[in-house]
């Protein structure tokens, strides 16, 4: 058991032993185990975007067990997945690999003006399937945000009783934010803060751009002279917005992109004090060995820079 | 107990013994028993389309017990039916014939812009009536999809406690999909995937056409060179989308049609790796003996081709 | 205990002894007791249309106990009434006269585009007040139909635990059906079928007219050559649509009309295999003795023709 | 214990001993105790209209305890009040003065097209605070009426378990009735009937005007020759509509008015068989002694005429 | 234990010992302890306005523990905060500093026509985290006010069982009130009264302006000659509207402003009988020592004037 993990767990001392145990399990798992860094493999793209768009590029991925095995092979910290996949995967993998049961999802066969995911699983499923955590997506900026927050609250209450940590995907989207504002640095920082205030143990956001959506936030940031020029700077502001770095914040890359871009993004994230990454399509749509290599490279970036990360996020 | 059934049940090892027992009961029932294939007789058309349109052609069918007897006579795997019919049928048939209690339905006296079925029964009814499974319809593409998914989740939770497998009818429909897109191959594959992710043990979809509704799916399918020319090809893609063939997927024919067309559709379905069919109006609107003959012919197609089915769906 | 009642109860053998006992109580009650026929006195018109329109014609009826006494005096099978009236009536009458607690109602002070009754009582009230059954109205064709079906399901579940039979008033109405289509023969048959599928033990519909609302139903009825020329023919189709006569279907006359018309309607209903009538304003708005006489005449029609009813509805 | 009170309680013999005990407590309380008449002091105007409009005229009334003391001083039968006031008042007064906990209320800071009160308290509060009854307002004619009726049903169920009588304010209002029709005699009679059918033990309505809102009601009233010329006549029709006088119906005066008008209104109410009055602003906005005097005068009118009240309402 | 605190607690004698104990704990805490005055530090601005606008001015505030320490250092009566912050803060501070768990909040990424906060925490969280009270915001004037009142009622019921006092932020806002009317004196007084009637132990409102929003309130205030010329006068009217001063009413200053303005506002509040203040951005956005100094000055104003407060609010 590493000193860094103990330090991180000290931020959550209000939680019970079982929740802390599950959180420790994720932090001690795989190649980044014990460093305080995380690399998570999430596979809910079949639900969100459909099977062809998600798995045709690497058909082995039609079988949910492929992803669990990939996560194990690459030494990931955890694997996030919806209920149905978990039912197939859990019997063979839940004891070796921390599973994060994704408890809400949206599909693309109906797309409304404002996003509104369906609650598709709950804590009782996670317990039955031996999962290590539950995951939930919120869309701040959506007209339906309150329903999500209240569903999240209900999940959080159940999770607290069951000793399961809560992982929150916080993606601003909907009629309250502009298309480009979804990744504006103030919006991402706000999204991270909301997830923390709603009780998340681990927060997942998107890498922020230089855009500042809100004039009031712009004024406050300018007045305080907050540096936002590099991605590392912006990640630092986001991490700061997550209780001054006392919550685990990881970043995702979204759609598949070139390897170099992925690595650079992770370098900046690590430099800014991000706790790691959650990487789906960029890994599982590549051939198995190539995906493992990329995940290893990303993990090494996060581990390697962990000694150099700014003081802000390490106290 | 057949080796093929054991193999299929191994996909569901996360479930408890009672659920597996009920699933086995369906897979061992009737003429296709032990082959891993299913032919189900569903009769909810009285609720969905009204009694005259459903039963006037063969008035014996006004009595729900006629259908249960027909299912037994033809050696069907199971009989799906709504609450009221189940209350009449169960005392005489539930021990001999696996009954699937259909737990939601829509009627045609009010038809809104987007389909929205009513929940009309639940697990407590299925238990009380000795049913072997519960059934539920979802309409991905409807503005009300989330309510259906969440009702399904609630049913699935109850069913898991009661040891009842879950059969999901997944029919894209509503303002999110075009009229013809309802049976587009990408849409049907997506629908099958959604049902699996929502926890279905058995998925029922419609035979897919060559149409591809989503440009993004078209791009992914083309890039990967997925063959979609024959119905068998398309069924193969749908089955693959159902956890790479590790969920039972059966196909339905919809409105009554000519015998030759029914048989050819089933040959293609079997060739593509479908696990069988669910056939309502095409059987029960014919005279009894003709219906039995057609069901036997369809069953023989599925059994006969089971040795020839592509590797994809047999591992 | 009559053989005919035993036969009817055999249709409900999935129900528990207490439900069958309450159903038997209704079928053995009063002048039609033991014949398999029912004549029910319903008095919810005060709620539905207001007190003046309901009771000014015969002011004795302002007191709910008047109706219970009338039902006893005339030898009715049961008396249906809302919660408040039941609270006044039950202490003096519940042990002598089967009471059907009407659990939802609409008032006329607000009339929306689509009917939507309020749930005003439940099984716990029926048990507390010693009622023999619970009653519920559905309006197929209303935009709010699903809420009604789901409320009905909830009531049915409670009723099953409490051993109370379920009486369903099924009145198509709302933006899904035309004004005249509310009593079209296909619509009434559909309404009866829906009530059966939703779990009703006793179904109440309106006498059907010759109109056929749905072109698809028209086609099916024409093709099958279903005779619809007389009210008796149409009643026969409705009764057939109620599980081929294996559910109790009774007919109502609606607004007050001439005695001769009432009697003729009942003759046709009886001839077509209807199980009886539910008659409110046509009885209680007349003076007491005249009402008793009319109810007796109607009962005698139903009893008298019961030997002559077509085979269809007697097996 | 008076014979008249025993007689009134006999109308409610379906209720349990505790409910009857609380009802008796109200009927035996104060200056009208034992006569079968009630005068209730309601103070929810602060919630409904704001504190200045309610209490500036007599600032002592800002303190909720002032009203409880006024009710005691004047010998009122009971005092109705919202949750917050009850929390302040109950410790000192609940054992001496029957308190009616008002469980829903509307405020005037937002006024929608149709009234929709919020449920602000429940039976568990009434029990905790030692109240003798619970009160609830319905607005028949509002688009939200069903929500009110269903909330009322839920309250009634809880109240029955806790042994608390139910007092219903039934005020037609909303887009289903015209502005003036709110006090039309047919509408008020209908409102009283609805409250009774929904389970009220005590019904509060407004004094009816000569207007008849519904043509159908007009026709029925004319045909039956119901006299409606005087307020006493109209009160008689309303009382008759409340189960022929077998429910307690009291009348209110609304906004503050001249003493002479108040007294005359009460004389007519008493003459027509009303069981009393509920008087808020007309009493508590006057100076204490003047208010006590007015309440005494009103009580004396109701007691004095009780011997002369028409037979209709006394059997 | 001070006599003044005993006197205040006597207003709440309907509550149980645990609720009174928690209320006493707040009233005995810190620099104003025992004087009957309160100064609360609330920090939910990160949730409401975003992290940059709230904390960039004084970045120490990104860490929720900074605020808890500030509240302790300055001798505040209590610290109000959302769930996530409470989870970080409670282990180290809950035993020393009374925490008020803020149970609903709104974020600014979506702003609808009418405010509608999400319920983000509940009594079970407050108990788990050792909080001394629960807090809830209502927006009278919003189209969604009833949902808030009903959520508040539910919270109040839970809180009563758990022995937690209820602090209500009552901020008129939404389409029912004009932009400027939100702080009109009649509107603020009404808002305070509503919070009291809904069961609040402590009410927080904004300092009222001279504007009177409602013509009817204007008429009543004028007729009664209520003085409203100074802020102290208006505070007096608001406190009077809170059960004639028998509920604790505290005032807030809103956005950051000059020190002199803050102090003058508090002087007027104290003079008018307000029980103290709740001061967020005006304190925590200043450097630590400056914030402590300001809070001390404010506390001294409230303590110092407490002997001079008008009789109205002291009985």
């Amino acid at each position: 058991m590493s000193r860094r993990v103990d330090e991180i767990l000290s931020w959550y001392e209000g939680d019970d032993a079982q929740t802390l145990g599950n959180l420790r399990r994720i932090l001690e798992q795989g190649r980044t185990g014990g460093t305080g860094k995380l690399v998570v493999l999430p596979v809910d793209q079949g639900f969100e975007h459909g099977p062809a768009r998600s798995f045709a590029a690497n058909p082995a991925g039609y079988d949910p067990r492929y992803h669990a095995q990939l996560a194990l092979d690459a030494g990931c910290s955890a694997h996030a997945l919806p209920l149905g996949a978990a039912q197939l995967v859990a019997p063979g993998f839940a004891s070796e690999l921390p599973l994060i049961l994704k408890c809400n999802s949206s599909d693309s066969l109906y797309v409304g003006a404002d996003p509104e995911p369906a609650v598709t699983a709950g804590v009782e499923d996670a317990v039955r399937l031996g999962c290590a955590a539950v995951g939930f997506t919120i869309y701040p900026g959506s007209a339906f945000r309150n329903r999500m927050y209240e569903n999240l609250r209900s999940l959080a209450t159940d999770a607290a009783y069951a000793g399961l940590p809560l992982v929150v995907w916080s993606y601003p989207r909907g009629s309250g934010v502009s298309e480009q504002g979804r990744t504006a640095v103030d919006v991402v920082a706000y999204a991270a803060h909301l997830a923390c205030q709603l009780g998340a143990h681990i927060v997942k956001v998107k890498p922020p751009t230089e855009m500042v959506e809100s004039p009031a936030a712009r004024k406050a940031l300018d007045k305080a002279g907050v540096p936002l020029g590099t991605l590392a700077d912006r990640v630092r502001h986001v991490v700061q917005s997550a209780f001054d770095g006392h919550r685990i914040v990881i970043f995702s890359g979204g759609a598949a992109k070139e390897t170099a871009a992925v690595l650079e993004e992770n370098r900046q994230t690590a430099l800014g004090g991000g706790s790691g990454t959650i990487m789906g399509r960029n890994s599982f749509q590549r051939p198995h060995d190539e995906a493992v290599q990329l995940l290893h490279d990303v993990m090494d970036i996060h581990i390697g820079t962990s000694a150099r990360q700014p003081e802000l996020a390490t106290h």
Side-chain angles (χ1 to χ4, degrees), chain A:
Chain A
M1 289 193 283
S2 84
R3 200 183 286 181
R4 177 62 184 154
V5 172
D6 288 344
E7 189 186 356
I8 291 171
L9 294 182
S10 76
W11 307 338
Y12 302 93
E13 61 180 318
D15 286 293
D16 67 8
Q18 202 175 348
T19 303
L20 294 181
N22 276 311
L23 208 48
R24 180 182 295 279
R25 192 182 161 206
I26 292 168
L27 290 165
E28 299 284 6
Q29 173 81 15
R31 192 178 179 101
T32 58
T35 66
K37 298 293 179 175
L38 285 90
V39 174
V40 174
L41 179 70
V43 187
D44 60 351
Q45 293 79 2
F47 197 119
E48 301 274 336
H49 309 299
R53 289 171 62 189
S54 305
F55 308 125
N58 178 17
Y62 281 111
D63 187 335
R65 294 173 298 191
Y66 171 79
H67 303 288
Q69 190 61 52
L70 174 61
L72 267 185
D73 294 346
C76 288
S77 310
H79 173 45
L81 72 182
L83 177 68
Q87 288 177 333
L88 184 55
V89 162
F93 290 88
S95 61
E96 279 177 89
L97 177 70
L99 298 178
I100 301 170
L101 184 65
K102 195 72 194 321
C103 293
N104 67 342
S105 291
S106 309
D107 73 277
S108 312
L109 289 175
Y110 181 93
V111 178
D114 278 274
E116 185 185 15
V119 178
T120 57
V123 165
E124 68 281 11
D125 299 302
V127 168
R128 176 168 54 88
L129 296 168
C131 297
V134 287
F136 202 85
T137 300
I138 56 173
Y139 294 111
S142 166
F144 306 111
R145 73 217 171 280
N146 282 355
R147 186 172 183 267
M148 300 173 215
Y149 301 165
E150 296 186 352
N151 281 332
L152 173 57
R153 187 207 150 199
S154 165
L155 184 74
T157 303
D158 291 351
Y161 282 109
L164 291 173
L166 182 60
V167 184
V168 175
W169 279 241
S170 188
Y171 288 173
R173 195 175 299 176
S175 54
V177 289
S178 70
E179 179 87 19
Q180 289 175 317
R182 294 174 181 184
T183 50
V185 62
D186 61 323
V187 171
V188 173
Y190 200 163
H193 185 78
L194 286 172
C196 293
Q197 289 289 25
L198 291 165
H201 293 85
I202 300 177
V203 177
K204 180 194 170 296
V205 292
K206 296 205 171 163
T209 65
E210 270 187 89
M211 179 180 175
V212 175
E213 170 99 342
S214 148
R218 161 62 75 192
K219 200 173 144 193
L221 290 165
D222 283 354
K223 194 170 168 196
V226 179
L228 300 170
T230 66
L231 177 55
D233 288 335
R234 299 188 293 269
V235 164
R236 198 171 292 118
H237 177 61
V238 171
V239 169
Q240 197 179 31
S241 297
F243 293 172
D244 204 20
H246 296 90
R247 285 292 177 263
I248 299 166
V249 183
I250 58 179
F251 292 79
S252 65
K257 55 183 79 153
E258 292 305 309
T259 302
V262 170
L263 296 179
E264 179 55 24
E265 201 169 87
N266 276 280
R267 258 179 227 114
Q268 293 283 324
T269 302
L271 195 60
S275 291
T277 192
I278 181 160
M279 188 192 293
R281 281 169 290 174
N282 274 310
S283 59
F284 72 71
Q285 290 188 344
R286 295 170 198 240
H288 177 271
D289 294 352
E290 200 181 311
V292 169
Q293 187 57 55
L294 179 62
L295 286 162
H296 281 182
D297 291 346
V298 164
M299 289 166 189
D300 292 344
I301 286 170
H302 283 286
I303 300 172
T305 57
S306 69
R308 284 183 283 124
Q309 88 187 54
E311 198 173 76
L312 174 82
T314 57
H315 57 127

